[in-house]
Amino acid sequence: MTNPQDFDVLIVGSGLAGLTAALQLAPTHKVAVLTKRRLSDGSSGWAQGGIAAVMDPADAFDNHVQDTLVAGVGLCDLEATQKVVEHAPTAIRWLQDLGVPFSTEHGELHLTREGGHSHRRIVHATDATGAAVQATLIERVKATPNIHVFEHHMLVDLITDRRMASGLPRPGQPVHCQGVYALDEVRDVVVTFRAPHTILATGGAGKVYLYTTNPDTATGDGIAAAWRAGCRVANMEFIQFHPTCLYHPHAKSFLISEAVRGEGGKLLLPPEAGGGRFMPAHDPREELAPRDVVARAIDFEMKKHGVDCVYLDISHQSPQFLEEHFPNIKARCAELGIDITRQPIPVVPAAHYTCGGVVTDLDGRTDIGGLYAVGETTCTGLHGANRLASNSLLECMVFASATVDAIRTTPLTSSSTLPPWDDSRVTDADELVVIQHNWHELRRFMWDYVGIVRTTKRLERAAHRISLLQKEIHEFYAQFHVTRDLLELRNLVQVADLIVMSALLRRESRGLHYSRDYPNTHALAKPTVLVPPPR
Ligand SMILES: Cc1cc2nc3c(=O)[nH]c(=O)nc-3n(C[C@H](O)[C@H](O)[C@H](O)COP(=O)(O)OP(=O)(O)OC[C@H]3O[C@@H](n4cnc5c(N)ncnc54)[C@H](O)[C@@H]3O)c2cc1C
């Protein structure tokens, strides 16, 4: 066995959550950032709309808290919500100090408004906020000697006392995370990293669905690894479907920001279905209704009229306004032959955000000692049954800072020995085709059976298929040389299982979970908390 690499803190993931934690820890800790592709890959760089924060004197923390609670339909944790909202201005100022080029007007931050927000409070960098934020953070990370970046290193599993050769913890004894195994894809070997603190910042799991706005990295790896290691996972039934993903054979996962509806964009049926507006018939807030309402309305209209997409029309705005506010969307559509100054944009709903995840406290702590989780991979209680637009980048930063504080005040030492990775596995050429088939099958049936509108029968069908896939993948994992595809499939199937288990347990419709068998909302609101079986 090669000697493990030693650090004070391991951070898995290089999105906004991971990089915020890395930069804030670097003055005092030797940090490793492991990321499975390049530093810039992940959802954070794709965020268009912006970051919600009360920055206008006419707005107030209470308004932002209320809007978040309303969107979350009774399941938000009040303390977590208040914490995030109240720390938002500090988080924005931190980014400004780092040099993020936010859009301004008359020397002040320009604030836009999105669905579900009662005030203009979205801080943005035109329509490519995430790219601007990530570019700035990455530049800083590269210039910080205490941060050691490992690109193309994929988390395989967490190493806890439970796995340690030196003996299992006795029942009731706290379990600690001592490091991770990671697949170094360049050398094609599994390497061991050791640290007393590990932060999971691996993002969401949109890739579990056939249609998603998420990048290829969003395979729920952190959620699956934490569950396998013994952490509770909550609210996995609440998957947010973004109502407006560009519908075009050559556009993969391109999102048409909510800000387009915020600036007066109207949803229209295709000409063959009459061409008129339909949102007024679904909700008094029309196009500014929360995402789940708009996504369900589009799903309903598409199924009713048997059409492949609907249209989003922003052509009432001047070309200059569109160039100024939506340069990215305008350019991408133009590449595909759609002139948004004159034509409506074809759109469909797609899996967008994983509201549930690894259960953490208000300082990012999980159920395992020395293991923290931050960002979309978590369930902090902020989003409840539905996420308010632009609250997630904010959550990444506020909880990353809280986690950094927790690590600073919790001195821990590394374990002296870690169990070696078993590399007796073999390579099998047949494996590839089976893995690809299973990937496709999983994403297809998750879309068909566990999508925007659910029924118990379809969920049970999905559960049955998942259990078959799990058996097959378990065998593969035990016998064959690990590859990224195999590891991602193993994690996606685990996450699919958690989503279906949670959806079956929720015998009502609430927020993002809509069941035809249980269309009503119960008076009693409770999160769905799954506890891993003892291993
Ligand atoms: C198209 C789009 C637009 C959005 N717009 C907005 C918006 O305007 N405002 C807003 O607030 N939110 C928005 N969101 C949501 C927001 O971008 C995400 O919730 C947020 O960026 C998540 O950040 P993160 O750091 O948790 O994860 P990510 O940014 O996804 O980063 C996860 C990181 O973990 C790495 N990783 C994953 N698995 C492994 C593994 N096994 N080993 C090593 N590394 C791993 C990935 O490569 C990546 O570096 C948008 C999302 C999308 C997809």
Side-chain angles (χ1 to χ4, degrees):
M1 174 198 169
T2 51
N3 284 333
Q5 301 238 32
D6 280 310
F7 292 90
D8 298 328
V9 184
L10 302 176
I11 299 176
V12 188
S14 59
L16 184 55
L19 296 188
T20 301
L23 285 167
Q24 296 185 3
L25 277 165
T28 48
H29 290 70
K30 183 181 167 198
V31 176
V33 174
L34 278 58
T35 191
K36 69 178 168 181
R37 296 198 177 182
R38 289 164 311 149
L39 256 187
S40 54
D41 293 324
S43 291
S44 297
W46 288 25
Q48 297 177 346
I51 308 173
V54 173
M55 306 299 287
D56 177 353
D59 195 1
F61 288 152
D62 275 352
N63 299 332
H64 190 178
V65 169
Q66 270 314 312
D67 293 344
T68 305
L69 298 183
V70 169
V73 209
L75 280 191
C76 297
D77 179 280
L78 181 61
E79 253 189 286
T81 308
Q82 285 168 335
K83 175 170 184 146
V84 170
V85 165
E86 288 169 15
H87 285 79
T90 311
I92 298 294
R93 281 192 286 273
W94 182 72
L95 290 177
Q96 283 182 297
D97 289 346
L98 289 182
V100 176
F102 287 125
S103 299
T104 55
E105 197 173 54
H106 312 303
E108 301 286 333
L109 286 171
H110 177 264
L111 303 175
T112 184
R113 187 176 162 194
E114 290 183 337
H117 286 274
S118 58
H119 287 72
R120 280 188 173 264
R121 64 167 78 98
I122 315 302
V123 178
H124 63 107
T126 64
D127 63 347
T129 308
V133 170
Q134 284 294 94
T136 308
L137 264 56
I138 286 172
E139 202 183 304
R140 290 298 177 118
V141 163
K142 286 184 172 164
T144 306
N146 234 6
I147 302 177
H148 303 256
V149 174
F150 296 85
E151 290 185 315
H152 304 288
H153 276 66
M154 177 179 182
L155 168 73
V156 176
D157 259 324
L158 299 162
I159 306 174
T160 65
D161 307 337
R162 277 209 185 99
R163 296 181 73 121
M164 307 281 286
S166 51
L168 295 171
R170 282 191 292 279
Q173 251 188 353
V175 176
H176 283 268
C177 180
Q178 309 287 358
V180 307
Y181 297 121
L183 172 65
D184 172 345
E185 278 207 81
V186 177
R187 291 192 299 139
D188 196 21
V189 290
V190 173
V191 286
T192 307
F193 288 83
R194 176 167 57 188
H197 304 274
T198 298
I199 303 176
L200 288 173
T202 46
K207 291 292 285 187
V208 79
Y209 287 98
L210 188 59
Y211 298 115
T212 177
T213 64
N214 288 188
D216 289 344
T217 53
T219 49
D221 299 356
I223 300 171
W227 172 261
R228 286 193 294 266
C231 292
R232 284 169 305 151
V233 166
N235 286 352
M236 289 301 290
E237 69 273 39
F238 300 118
I239 301 291
Q240 187 170 63
F241 288 83
H242 195 287
T244 54
C245 190
L246 180 61
Y247 178 74
H248 190 280
H250 302 307
K252 189 181 164 204
S253 310
F254 188 78
L255 183 111
I256 306 297
S257 154
E258 297 228 77
V260 173
R261 285 184 284 122
E263 297 298 346
K266 298 287 180 265
L267 284 162
L268 305 173
L269 288 170
E272 66 268 28
R277 284 181 70 198
F278 53 87
M279 277 315 298
H282 287 270
D283 194 281
R285 290 162 290 185
E286 306 182 346
E287 275 80 359
L288 287 181
R291 287 188 173 155
D292 60 315
V293 177
V294 181
R296 254 199 315 277
I298 296 176
D299 191 57
F300 176 87
E301 297 292 341
M302 282 173 54
K303 287 188 174 135
K304 179 173 155 195
H305 296 282
V307 291
D308 290 335
C309 68
V310 296
Y311 287 85
L312 180 58
D313 191 2
I314 185 75
S315 62
H316 67 282
Q317 293 283 9
S318 70
Q320 190 194 345
F321 179 94
L322 295 176
E323 183 57 45
E324 214 171 285
H325 289 258
F326 305 115
N328 234 354
I329 294 175
K330 188 164 170 279
R332 182 69 184 121
C333 287
E335 276 169 25
L336 299 168
I338 306 159
D339 176 0
I340 70 166
T341 67
R342 293 187 304 111
Q343 291 169 288
I345 309 165
V347 291
V348 282
H352 183 55
Y353 187 82
T354 313
C355 286
V358 183
V359 174
T360 70
D361 69 7
L362 293 182
D363 296 321
R365 290 189 184 89
T366 69
D367 293 337
I368 292 183
L371 181 68
Y372 307 78
V374 183
E376 192 170 337
T377 209
T378 65
C379 181
T380 62
L382 172 69
H383 305 301
N386 191 2
R387 172 187 76 122
L388 183 66
S390 287
N391 264 357
S392 40
L393 291 174
L394 177 60
E395 183 191 42
C396 287
M397 286 190 292
V398 173
F399 276 93
S401 299
T403 300
V404 167
D405 290 344
I407 288 176
R408 286 218 179 97
T409 53
T410 318
L412 290 174
T413 47
S414 278
S415 163
S416 52
T417 50
L418 296 186
W421 173 254
D422 166 19
D423 54 9
S424 61
R425 297 160 156 103
V426 297
T427 305
D428 181 342
D430 265 5
E431 187 194 347
L432 270 182
V433 65
V434 180
I435 289 170
Q436 269 163 18
H437 173 89
N438 286 350
W439 254 86
H440 186 73
E441 184 188 339
L442 175 75
R443 299 182 69 209
R444 176 89 245 177
F445 75 65
M446 284 300 286
W447 182 258
D448 290 340
Y449 299 163
V450 196
I452 297 175
V453 175
R454 298 164 179 171
T455 67
T456 303
K457 209 168 186 171
R458 285 192 222 149
L459 290 174
E460 283 168 353
R461 283 205 175 112
H464 177 62
R465 280 167 169 73
I466 288 168
S467 71
L468 297 177
L469 284 178
Q470 268 179 328
K471 267 192 212 129
E472 216 167 275
I473 291 160
H474 185 72
E475 267 171 37
F476 269 165
Y477 179 73
Q479 292 172 17
F480 298 129
H481 184 67
V482 292
T483 60
R484 186 175 69 200
D485 280 351
L486 171 59
L487 294 173
E488 287 185 342
L489 179 64
R490 174 179 180 238
N491 293 331
L492 281 174
V493 173
Q494 181 60 71
V495 166
D497 192 33
L498 295 170
I499 295 173
V500 172
M501 268 198 272
S502 308
L504 280 167
L505 285 171
R506 185 160 294 281
R507 298 192 167 184
E508 61 163 354
S509 290
R510 179 186 297 276
L512 299 166
H513 173 72
Y514 183 81
S515 164
R516 274 216 225 132
D517 298 309
Y518 302 101
N520 299 324
T521 304
H522 292 166
L524 189 64
K526 268 173 64 181
T528 309
V529 182
L530 301 177
V531 182
R535 282 163 221 269

